[in-house]
Amino acid sequence: MTTPVTVAGKVFLIFYGLLGCAATILFFNLFLERIITLLAVVMKAVRERRIRNSGLLPPGIRHDFSAYSLPGWKPSVYHVMLILGLSAITISCCASAMYTPVEGWAYLDSLYFCFVTFSTIGFGDFVSSQSDAYKYQSLYRVANFFFMLMGVCCIYSLFNVISIVIKQVLNWILEKMSCLFCQRCNKATVLLGRRNAIRPGSKSRHGRTGQLSDSDGPCDSDTEGRRLSGEMISMKDLAASNKVSLAIMQKQLSESANGYPRTVCGSSRHNGFSGGVGALGIMNNRLAETSNSR
Protein backbone atom coordinates (compact mmCIF):
# COMPACT_ATOMS: atom_id res chain seq x y z
CA MET A 1 0.00 0.00 0.00
CA THR A 2 1.37 3.41 -0.99
CA THR A 3 1.22 6.00 1.81
CA PRO A 4 3.12 9.27 2.46
CA VAL A 5 6.05 8.96 4.87
CA THR A 6 7.79 12.33 4.96
CA VAL A 7 6.33 15.50 6.48
CA ALA A 8 6.38 17.28 3.13
CA GLY A 9 4.48 14.40 1.53
CA LYS A 10 1.81 14.46 4.26
CA VAL A 11 1.35 18.24 3.97
CA PHE A 12 1.13 17.96 0.20
CA LEU A 13 -1.47 15.20 0.56
CA ILE A 14 -3.69 17.44 2.73
CA PHE A 15 -3.83 20.28 0.18
CA TYR A 16 -3.98 17.92 -2.78
CA GLY A 17 -6.85 16.04 -1.10
CA LEU A 18 -8.86 19.23 -0.67
CA LEU A 19 -8.70 20.01 -4.37
CA GLY A 20 -8.77 16.42 -5.53
CA CYS A 21 -11.84 15.39 -3.50
CA ALA A 22 -13.73 18.54 -4.54
CA ALA A 23 -12.89 17.90 -8.19
CA THR A 24 -13.93 14.25 -7.83
CA ILE A 25 -17.31 15.22 -6.38
CA LEU A 26 -17.74 17.69 -9.25
CA PHE A 27 -16.88 14.93 -11.73
CA PHE A 28 -19.42 12.56 -10.15
CA ASN A 29 -22.12 15.25 -10.22
CA LEU A 30 -21.42 15.97 -13.88
CA PHE A 31 -21.53 12.26 -14.62
CA LEU A 32 -24.87 12.02 -12.80
CA GLU A 33 -26.26 14.95 -14.78
CA ARG A 34 -25.09 13.50 -18.11
CA ILE A 35 -26.33 10.00 -17.37
CA ILE A 36 -29.77 11.31 -16.37
CA THR A 37 -29.85 13.43 -19.54
CA LEU A 38 -28.92 10.40 -21.64
CA LEU A 39 -31.54 8.24 -19.94
CA ALA A 40 -34.12 11.00 -20.40
CA VAL A 41 -33.38 11.20 -24.15
CA VAL A 42 -33.58 7.43 -24.61
CA MET A 43 -36.72 7.00 -22.47
CA LYS A 44 -38.33 10.00 -24.16
CA ALA A 45 -37.62 8.54 -27.59
CA VAL A 46 -39.09 5.18 -26.55
CA ARG A 47 -42.17 6.87 -25.11
CA GLU A 48 -42.62 9.03 -28.20
CA ARG A 49 -42.31 6.01 -30.49
CA ARG A 50 -44.85 4.12 -28.39
CA ILE A 51 -47.30 7.02 -28.50
CA ARG A 52 -46.73 7.53 -32.22
CA ASN A 53 -47.36 3.86 -32.96
CA SER A 54 -50.56 3.97 -30.92
CA GLY A 55 -51.83 6.90 -33.03
CA LEU A 56 -52.20 9.32 -30.11
CA LEU A 57 -49.43 11.69 -31.21
CA PRO A 58 -50.37 14.35 -33.82
CA PRO A 59 -48.66 13.79 -37.18
CA GLY A 60 -47.31 17.36 -37.34
CA ILE A 61 -45.10 17.04 -34.25
CA ARG A 62 -41.35 17.13 -34.74
CA HIS A 63 -39.37 13.91 -34.86
CA ASP A 64 -36.39 15.16 -32.86
CA PHE A 65 -35.96 15.20 -29.11
CA SER A 66 -36.37 18.94 -28.60
CA ALA A 67 -38.66 20.67 -26.14
CA TYR A 68 -41.46 20.70 -28.69
CA SER A 69 -41.69 16.94 -28.57
CA LEU A 70 -43.64 15.84 -25.49
CA PRO A 71 -43.14 19.18 -23.69
CA GLY A 72 -42.62 19.05 -19.95
CA TRP A 73 -42.01 15.30 -19.88
CA LYS A 74 -39.35 14.03 -17.46
CA PRO A 75 -38.20 10.50 -16.65
CA SER A 76 -39.44 8.77 -13.54
CA VAL A 77 -37.04 8.48 -10.64
CA TYR A 78 -38.00 4.82 -10.25
CA HIS A 79 -37.10 4.02 -13.85
CA VAL A 80 -33.75 5.78 -13.45
CA MET A 81 -33.11 3.88 -10.20
CA LEU A 82 -33.90 0.58 -11.92
CA ILE A 83 -31.58 1.30 -14.86
CA LEU A 84 -28.74 2.46 -12.60
CA GLY A 85 -29.21 -0.59 -10.37
CA LEU A 86 -29.04 -2.96 -13.33
CA SER A 87 -25.99 -1.13 -14.68
CA ALA A 88 -24.19 -1.37 -11.32
CA ILE A 89 -25.01 -5.09 -11.05
CA THR A 90 -23.78 -5.72 -14.61
CA ILE A 91 -20.50 -3.88 -14.04
CA SER A 92 -19.95 -5.67 -10.71
CA CYS A 93 -20.59 -9.09 -12.24
CA CYS A 94 -18.22 -8.41 -15.16
CA ALA A 95 -15.53 -7.05 -12.84
CA SER A 96 -15.91 -10.05 -10.52
CA ALA A 97 -15.49 -12.38 -13.48
CA MET A 98 -12.16 -10.64 -14.14
CA TYR A 99 -10.95 -10.51 -10.51
CA THR A 100 -11.75 -14.18 -9.76
CA PRO A 101 -9.14 -15.80 -12.05
CA VAL A 102 -6.59 -12.98 -11.91
CA GLU A 103 -6.51 -12.36 -8.14
CA GLY A 104 -7.44 -15.92 -7.14
CA TRP A 105 -10.51 -14.88 -5.13
CA ALA A 106 -13.86 -16.62 -4.87
CA TYR A 107 -16.62 -15.11 -6.98
CA LEU A 108 -18.60 -13.94 -3.95
CA ASP A 109 -15.46 -12.37 -2.51
CA SER A 110 -14.98 -10.56 -5.82
CA LEU A 111 -18.55 -9.27 -5.69
CA TYR A 112 -17.96 -8.14 -2.11
CA PHE A 113 -14.77 -6.37 -3.19
CA CYS A 114 -16.62 -4.63 -6.03
CA PHE A 115 -19.33 -3.26 -3.75
CA VAL A 116 -16.88 -2.14 -1.04
CA THR A 117 -14.63 -0.49 -3.63
CA PHE A 118 -17.34 1.05 -5.83
CA SER A 119 -19.14 2.51 -2.81
CA THR A 120 -15.78 3.95 -1.57
CA ILE A 121 -16.11 2.14 1.77
CA GLY A 122 -12.69 0.57 1.31
CA PHE A 123 -12.10 -1.77 4.25
CA GLY A 124 -8.80 -2.91 2.77
CA ASP A 125 -9.31 -6.62 3.42
CA PHE A 126 -9.34 -7.20 -0.37
CA VAL A 127 -7.06 -5.06 -2.55
CA SER A 128 -6.42 -5.56 -6.26
CA SER A 129 -3.13 -5.19 -8.17
CA GLN A 130 -0.94 -6.15 -5.21
CA SER A 131 1.03 -8.96 -6.82
CA ASP A 132 4.44 -8.37 -8.29
CA ALA A 133 3.54 -9.57 -11.76
CA TYR A 134 0.39 -10.44 -13.66
CA LYS A 135 -0.19 -12.05 -16.99
CA TYR A 136 -1.15 -9.27 -19.41
CA GLN A 137 -0.42 -6.76 -16.61
CA SER A 138 -0.96 -3.61 -18.68
CA LEU A 139 -4.29 -4.81 -20.00
CA TYR A 140 -5.37 -5.83 -16.50
CA ARG A 141 -4.55 -2.42 -15.04
CA VAL A 142 -6.46 -0.63 -17.80
CA ALA A 143 -9.48 -2.89 -17.27
CA ASN A 144 -9.19 -2.47 -13.50
CA PHE A 145 -9.20 1.33 -13.89
CA PHE A 146 -12.17 1.22 -16.25
CA PHE A 147 -14.27 -1.03 -14.00
CA MET A 148 -13.51 1.03 -10.90
CA LEU A 149 -14.30 4.32 -12.63
CA MET A 150 -17.61 3.13 -14.10
CA GLY A 151 -18.55 1.23 -10.94
CA VAL A 152 -17.96 4.20 -8.64
CA CYS A 153 -19.92 6.52 -10.98
CA CYS A 154 -22.89 4.12 -11.20
CA ILE A 155 -22.96 3.40 -7.46
CA TYR A 156 -22.66 7.11 -6.64
CA SER A 157 -25.55 7.92 -8.98
CA LEU A 158 -27.59 5.02 -7.59
CA PHE A 159 -27.05 6.18 -4.01
CA ASN A 160 -28.24 9.69 -4.92
CA VAL A 161 -31.37 8.34 -6.60
CA ILE A 162 -32.07 6.13 -3.57
CA SER A 163 -31.71 9.22 -1.37
CA ILE A 164 -34.42 10.88 -3.49
CA VAL A 165 -36.72 7.91 -2.85
CA ILE A 166 -35.97 8.12 0.88
CA LYS A 167 -36.78 11.84 0.77
CA GLN A 168 -40.08 11.09 -0.93
CA VAL A 169 -40.95 8.53 1.74
CA LEU A 170 -40.15 11.06 4.48
CA ASN A 171 -42.20 13.73 2.69
CA TRP A 172 -45.11 11.29 2.41
CA ILE A 173 -44.93 10.47 6.12
CA LEU A 174 -44.76 14.15 7.08
CA GLU A 175 -47.64 14.96 4.74
CA LYS A 176 -49.82 12.22 6.22
CA MET A 177 -49.00 13.34 9.76
CA SER A 178 -49.70 16.96 8.86
CA CYS A 179 -53.02 16.09 7.22
CA LEU A 180 -53.98 14.02 10.26
CA PHE A 181 -53.29 16.91 12.60
CA CYS A 182 -55.04 19.31 10.21
CA GLN A 183 -58.19 17.17 10.24
CA ARG A 184 -58.18 17.17 14.02
CA CYS A 185 -57.60 20.92 14.19
CA ASN A 186 -60.29 21.63 11.60
CA LYS A 187 -62.74 19.37 13.41
CA ALA A 188 -62.06 21.13 16.70
CA THR A 189 -62.37 24.54 15.01
CA VAL A 190 -65.69 23.60 13.41
CA LEU A 191 -67.09 22.32 16.69
CA LEU A 192 -65.89 25.43 18.54
CA GLY A 193 -67.28 27.78 15.93
CA ARG A 194 -70.62 25.94 15.88
CA ARG A 195 -70.88 26.12 19.66
CA ASN A 196 -69.93 29.80 19.78
CA ALA A 197 -72.30 30.70 16.97
CA ILE A 198 -75.23 29.27 18.95
CA ARG A 199 -74.16 30.55 22.29
CA PRO A 200 -71.77 33.54 22.52
CA GLY A 201 -68.71 33.11 24.71
CA SER A 202 -69.80 35.10 27.73
CA LYS A 203 -69.33 33.78 31.21
CA SER A 204 -72.90 34.47 32.33
CA ARG A 205 -76.24 35.09 30.72
CA HIS A 206 -79.73 36.01 31.80
CA GLY A 207 -82.20 33.28 31.01
CA ARG A 208 -85.82 33.73 30.11
CA THR A 209 -86.72 33.80 33.81
CA GLY A 210 -84.28 36.66 34.49
CA GLN A 211 -81.90 34.49 36.53
CA LEU A 212 -78.16 34.36 36.03
CA SER A 213 -76.88 31.13 34.43
CA ASP A 214 -73.20 30.11 34.56
CA SER A 215 -71.37 29.06 31.36
CA ASP A 216 -70.23 25.86 32.96
CA GLY A 217 -73.72 24.92 33.94
CA PRO A 218 -76.39 22.89 32.19
CA CYS A 219 -76.74 25.40 29.36
CA ASP A 220 -73.73 23.77 27.65
CA SER A 221 -76.01 21.03 26.35
CA ASP A 222 -77.36 20.99 22.83
CA THR A 223 -80.90 21.42 24.10
CA GLU A 224 -80.04 24.61 25.95
CA GLY A 225 -78.04 25.81 22.99
CA ARG A 226 -80.98 25.30 20.67
CA ARG A 227 -83.18 27.09 23.21
CA LEU A 228 -80.83 30.05 23.21
CA SER A 229 -80.44 30.14 19.43
CA GLY A 230 -83.26 32.65 19.16
CA GLU A 231 -81.46 35.26 21.26
CA MET A 232 -79.90 38.34 19.73
CA ILE A 233 -76.11 38.11 19.30
CA SER A 234 -74.06 41.29 19.13
CA MET A 235 -71.39 41.76 16.49
CA LYS A 236 -68.75 41.96 19.20
CA ASP A 237 -69.66 38.55 20.57
CA LEU A 238 -69.89 37.09 17.06
CA ALA A 239 -66.45 38.38 16.09
CA ALA A 240 -64.94 37.20 19.38
CA SER A 241 -66.42 33.73 19.05
CA ASN A 242 -65.24 33.31 15.46
CA LYS A 243 -61.84 34.99 15.73
CA VAL A 244 -60.04 31.78 14.69
CA SER A 245 -62.07 31.48 11.50
CA LEU A 246 -61.63 35.18 10.76
CA ALA A 247 -57.86 34.91 11.21
CA ILE A 248 -57.72 31.96 8.81
CA MET A 249 -59.82 33.84 6.26
CA GLN A 250 -57.58 36.90 6.51
CA LYS A 251 -54.48 34.76 6.01
CA GLN A 252 -55.96 33.03 2.97
CA LEU A 253 -57.07 36.35 1.44
CA SER A 254 -53.62 37.86 2.04
CA GLU A 255 -51.82 34.92 0.46
CA SER A 256 -54.20 34.91 -2.51
CA ALA A 257 -53.60 38.61 -3.04
CA ASN A 258 -49.84 38.14 -2.93
CA GLY A 259 -50.06 35.38 -5.52
CA TYR A 260 -48.70 32.44 -3.52
CA PRO A 261 -51.51 30.62 -1.77
CA ARG A 262 -50.30 27.70 0.31
CA THR A 263 -52.21 24.63 1.34
CA VAL A 264 -50.93 22.69 4.31
CA CYS A 265 -52.28 19.32 3.24
CA GLY A 266 -51.86 19.71 -0.52
CA SER A 267 -49.44 17.80 -2.67
CA SER A 268 -47.42 20.97 -3.37
CA ARG A 269 -46.50 21.44 0.28
CA HIS A 270 -42.86 22.38 0.81
CA ASN A 271 -41.09 21.16 3.90
CA GLY A 272 -37.59 20.77 5.26
CA PHE A 273 -36.74 17.98 2.82
CA SER A 274 -37.63 19.93 -0.35
CA GLY A 275 -35.11 21.40 -2.73
CA GLY A 276 -31.41 20.67 -2.46
CA VAL A 277 -28.01 21.45 -3.90
CA GLY A 278 -25.45 19.44 -5.82
CA ALA A 279 -26.62 16.01 -6.90
CA LEU A 280 -29.93 16.51 -5.05
CA GLY A 281 -30.59 19.74 -6.94
CA ILE A 282 -29.74 18.09 -10.27
CA MET A 283 -32.27 15.31 -9.73
CA ASN A 284 -34.90 17.74 -8.41
CA ASN A 285 -34.77 19.56 -11.75
CA ARG A 286 -34.54 16.56 -14.08
CA LEU A 287 -36.72 13.81 -12.59
CA ALA A 288 -40.50 13.71 -12.70
CA GLU A 289 -41.46 12.90 -9.09
CA THR A 290 -39.01 15.46 -7.66
CA SER A 291 -39.91 18.39 -9.90
CA ASN A 292 -41.49 21.44 -8.25
CA SER A 293 -43.84 21.86 -11.21
CA ARG A 294 -45.80 18.70 -10.49
Side-chain angles (χ1 to χ4, degrees), residues 133-285:
Y134 291 96
K135 189 177 181 180
Y136 306 109
Q137 185 170 356
S138 299
L139 181 61
Y140 172 66
R141 289 182 176 179
V142 171
N144 190 19
F145 171 78
F146 173 77
F147 280 124
M148 286 191 178
L149 178 63
M150 296 303 298
V152 171
C153 289
C154 288
I155 292 292
Y156 174 82
S157 303
L158 180 62
F159 283 169
N160 281 282
V161 175
I162 292 175
S163 68
I164 286 291
V165 177
I166 295 175
K167 188 191 77 168
Q168 289 181 348
V169 173
L170 293 178
N171 286 340
W172 180 80
I173 294 175
L174 292 176
E175 183 178 346
K176 291 300 180 181
M177 293 175 62
S178 177
C179 290
L180 179 62
F181 287 121
C182 284
Q183 290 176 0
R184 292 180 180 177
C185 293
N186 291 335
K187 187 180 297 184
T189 304
V190 169
L191 293 177
L192 182 61
R194 182 178 179 182
R195 177 183 174 185
N196 291 335
I198 296 175
R199 178 174 171 269
S202 58
K203 293 184 178 180
S204 62
R205 182 187 319 280
H206 287 283
R208 293 184 180 179
T209 58
Q211 297 178 354
L212 201 64
S213 60
D214 187 43
S215 61
D216 296 332
C219 59
D220 281 335
S221 62
D222 293 337
T223 305
E224 188 67 12
R226 286 191 295 268
R227 185 180 66 83
L228 295 173
S229 60
E231 296 181 357
M232 297 297 294
I233 301 176
S234 64
M235 291 299 297
K236 181 178 180 181
D237 292 336
L238 181 62
S241 62
N242 294 279
K243 59 183 179 180
V244 177
S245 300
L246 290 176
I248 294 176
M249 290 176 60
Q250 289 177 354
K251 182 180 179 181
Q252 292 177 350
L253 290 174
S254 176
E255 291 178 347
S256 300
N258 292 331
Y260 53 91
R262 291 174 178 259
T263 56
V264 178
C265 298
S267 60
S268 61
R269 179 182 180 271
H270 296 277
N271 48 42
F273 295 98
S274 299
V277 295
L280 193 61
I282 292 173
M283 289 183 291
N284 281 339
N285 294 328

Side-chain angles (χ1 to χ4, degrees), residues 96-154:
S96 299
M98 181 188 69
Y99 291 132
T100 298
V102 175
E103 298 290 346
W105 299 335
Y107 190 78
L108 291 179
D109 291 337
S110 299
L111 285 175
Y112 165 78
F113 165 76
C114 289
F115 177 78
V116 171
T117 304
F118 296 165
S119 60
T120 66
I121 297 175
F123 288 125
D125 48 353
F126 289 92
V127 181
S128 63
S129 301
Q130 295 301 303
S131 298
D132 295 333
Y134 291 96
K135 189 177 181 180
Y136 306 109
Q137 185 170 356
S138 299
L139 181 61
Y140 172 66
R141 289 182 176 179
V142 171
N144 190 19
F145 171 78
F146 173 77
F147 280 124
M148 286 191 178
L149 178 63
M150 296 303 298
V152 171
C153 289
C154 288

